[in-house]
């Protein structure tokens, strides 16, 4: 191979018996100081199959596709930790410093997350005795926080999967962008809470007091609000697909842009609710009260 070889010319590689096809530019551009870049710079003679034209490298080819994808796109793949370790060895062999740094950054971030202190119910009780309690970004998944006074607590960005909040006082608490999938808020007090952008997929909120709560842009797919009080709640652009709001009170609620596909609103109170241009074609509204509701442009 000569120095004046076209950088876009194809290169056939045999890595431990696995065949790959790429270009000189891919092998040399992103990691110019790597062994691969040096090998295909035109300065070195290569072990090439004269008949089929494959350049042979005596390495395990199991992860070489990840090497090539890194050289093409500069994106560290999403893999299991054990695979990252194997790929890191290959990156070290080929002297791909950028890929090595990327893998180590991913592994360090995962370790930091796993090393977060796990809090108990007792820890939470101690914390809420102080002012301006914040659990922003904290992993509280699976904890039993039922019947606690958690009013004004900031849970923004926290992981709250399957947390028990039953009968808890969460008035004015913040759940902005929190992941509360499968959380249980049975009969909880959630007046004026902020749930903007939160994930409440499959959450249970029957009988909850959500008066004036802000649920804009929240994911409420498959959630249950049976008999919940959502008077004057903000539900703009919320996704209520397959949600159950049977018997819920939505008087004066704003549902502009909400997704109500297969939503159960049977016997719900939607008096004076804002439903302009909402698609109600697949919504179950049997027995619902719609007196004074703004339905201008709504599809039924």
């Amino acid at each position: 191979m000569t120095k004046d070889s076209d950088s876009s010319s194809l290169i056939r590689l045999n890595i431990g018996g696995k065949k790959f096809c790429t270009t000189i530019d891919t092998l040399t551009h992103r990691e110019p100081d790597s062994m691969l870049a040096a090998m295909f710079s035109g300065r070195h003679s290569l072990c090439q199959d004269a008949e089929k034209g494959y350049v042979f490298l005596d390495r395990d080819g199991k992860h070489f596709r990840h090497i090539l994808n890194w050289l093409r796109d500069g994106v560290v793949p999403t893999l299991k930790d054990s695979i990252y370790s194997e790929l890191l060895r290959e990156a070290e062999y080929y002297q791909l410093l950028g890929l090595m740094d990327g893998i180590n950054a991913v592994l360090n971030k995962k370790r930091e997350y796993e090393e977060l202190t796990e809090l108990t119910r007792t820890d939470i009780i101690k914390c809420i005795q102080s002012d301006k309690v914040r659990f922003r970004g904290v992993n509280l998944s699976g904890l039993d926080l039922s019947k606690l006074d958690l009013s004004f607590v900031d849970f923004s960005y926290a992981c709250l999967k399957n947390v028990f909040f039953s009968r808890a006082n969460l008035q004015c608490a913040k759940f902005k962008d929190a992941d509360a999938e499968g959380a249980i808020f049975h009969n909880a007090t959630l007046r004026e809470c902020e749930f903007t952008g939160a994930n409440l997929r499959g959450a249970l909120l029957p009988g909850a007091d959500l008066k004036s709560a802000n649920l804009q842009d929240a994911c409420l797919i498959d959630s249950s609000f049976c008999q919940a009080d959502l008077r004057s709640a903000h539900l703009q652009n919320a996704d209520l697909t397959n949600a159950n709001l049977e018997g819920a009170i939505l008087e004066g609620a704003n549902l502009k842009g909400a997704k109500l596909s297969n939503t159960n609103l049977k016997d719900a109170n939607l008096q004076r609710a804002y439903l302009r241009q909402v698609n109600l074609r697949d919504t179950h509204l049997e027995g619902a009260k719609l007196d004074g509701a703004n339905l201008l442009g709504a599809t039924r």
Side-chain angles (χ1 to χ4, degrees):
M1 187 176 294
T2 61
K3 290 183 180 179
D4 59 353
S5 295
D6 186 355
S7 66
S8 64
S9 61
L10 291 177
I11 293 292
R12 292 180 174 84
L13 299 171
N14 182 340
I15 313 296
K18 289 186 178 293
K19 308 290 182 63
F20 300 90
C21 187
T22 184
T23 65
I24 292 175
D25 187 61
T26 294
L27 294 170
T28 60
H29 179 69
R30 187 172 301 281
E31 299 262 17
D33 298 321
S34 70
M35 188 179 80
L36 287 171
M39 286 176 65
F40 294 95
S41 65
R43 301 192 301 269
H44 304 280
S45 59
L46 301 170
C47 177
Q48 193 166 8
D49 184 331
E51 187 176 327
K52 296 184 178 180
Y54 282 94
V55 176
F56 179 76
L57 294 176
D58 190 14
R59 294 295 293 179
D60 188 345
K62 180 180 178 182
H63 304 308
F64 196 74
R65 68 184 183 89
H66 296 310
I67 299 286
L68 283 181
N69 286 335
W70 162 259
L71 292 173
R72 290 166 179 149
D73 308 321
V75 177
V76 178
T78 301
L79 303 167
K80 294 181 180 179
D81 286 359
S82 59
I83 305 300
Y84 274 131
S85 298
E86 295 174 7
L87 182 58
L88 188 57
R89 283 198 296 272
E90 295 304 299
E92 289 170 348
Y93 174 79
Y94 293 114
Q95 299 171 26
L96 299 166
L97 301 182
L99 179 56
M100 291 164 58
D101 289 343
I103 293 171
N104 284 319
V106 171
L107 292 174
N108 288 335
K109 188 173 181 179
K110 291 180 73 174
R111 289 191 195 102
E112 289 174 5
Y113 179 79
E114 290 168 357
E115 289 170 1
L116 287 173
T117 303
E118 292 188 6
L119 298 177
T120 65
R121 180 181 172 91
T122 302
D123 294 327
I124 301 298
I125 292 172
K126 289 178 180 177
C127 288
I128 60 179
Q129 292 171 349
S130 61
D131 294 332
K132 296 182 180 178
V133 183
R134 292 185 179 181
F135 293 109
R136 294 171 66 93
V138 176
N139 183 3
L140 302 174
S141 56
L143 281 186
D144 180 4
L145 303 180
S146 58
K147 301 180 181 179
L148 294 180
D149 184 358
L150 299 165
S151 53
F152 297 94
V153 172
D154 190 348
F155 292 103
S156 298
Y157 313 104
C159 180
L160 305 170
K161 289 184 177 181
N162 302 310
V163 171
F164 288 84
F165 285 112
S166 297
R167 300 184 185 279
N169 179 11
L170 291 152
Q171 182 172 349
C172 296
K174 294 182 179 179
F175 294 90
K176 179 179 173 61
D177 291 314
D179 186 356
E181 183 172 348
I184 299 173
F185 294 88
H186 187 271
N187 287 331
T189 299
L190 295 157
R191 289 193 299 274
E192 299 179 49
C193 277
E194 181 184 354
F195 283 97
T196 52
N199 176 20
L200 287 159
R201 181 187 288 266
L204 302 177
L205 301 98
D209 182 354
L210 288 144
K211 286 193 284 288
S212 299
N214 189 347
L215 294 129
Q216 292 186 63
D217 302 305
C219 175
L220 308 173
I221 298 171
D222 297 322
S223 58
S224 175
F225 290 86
C226 291
Q227 307 296 323
D229 191 343
L230 289 146
R231 275 177 282 191
S232 300
H234 302 276
L235 290 152
Q236 297 95 309
N237 301 311
D239 192 344
L240 285 152
T241 301
N242 297 324
N244 188 358
L245 291 93
E246 186 168 352
I249 303 172
L250 290 146
E251 190 174 347
N254 189 341
L255 290 116
K256 181 181 180 181
K259 296 179 182 177
L260 299 173
S261 178
N262 200 38
T263 304
N264 182 3
L265 285 165
K266 294 178 181 177
D267 299 317
N269 183 350
L270 289 156
Q271 293 175 314
R272 297 187 299 282
Y274 191 95
L275 292 159
R276 288 188 65 171
Q277 299 182 335
V278 172
N279 188 345
L280 300 169
R281 186 169 294 162
D282 298 318
T283 308
H284 303 283
L285 289 162
E286 297 88 338
K289 298 178 181 178
L290 292 161
D291 303 335
N294 189 335
L295 292 161
L296 186 64
T299 305
R300 299 181 67 180

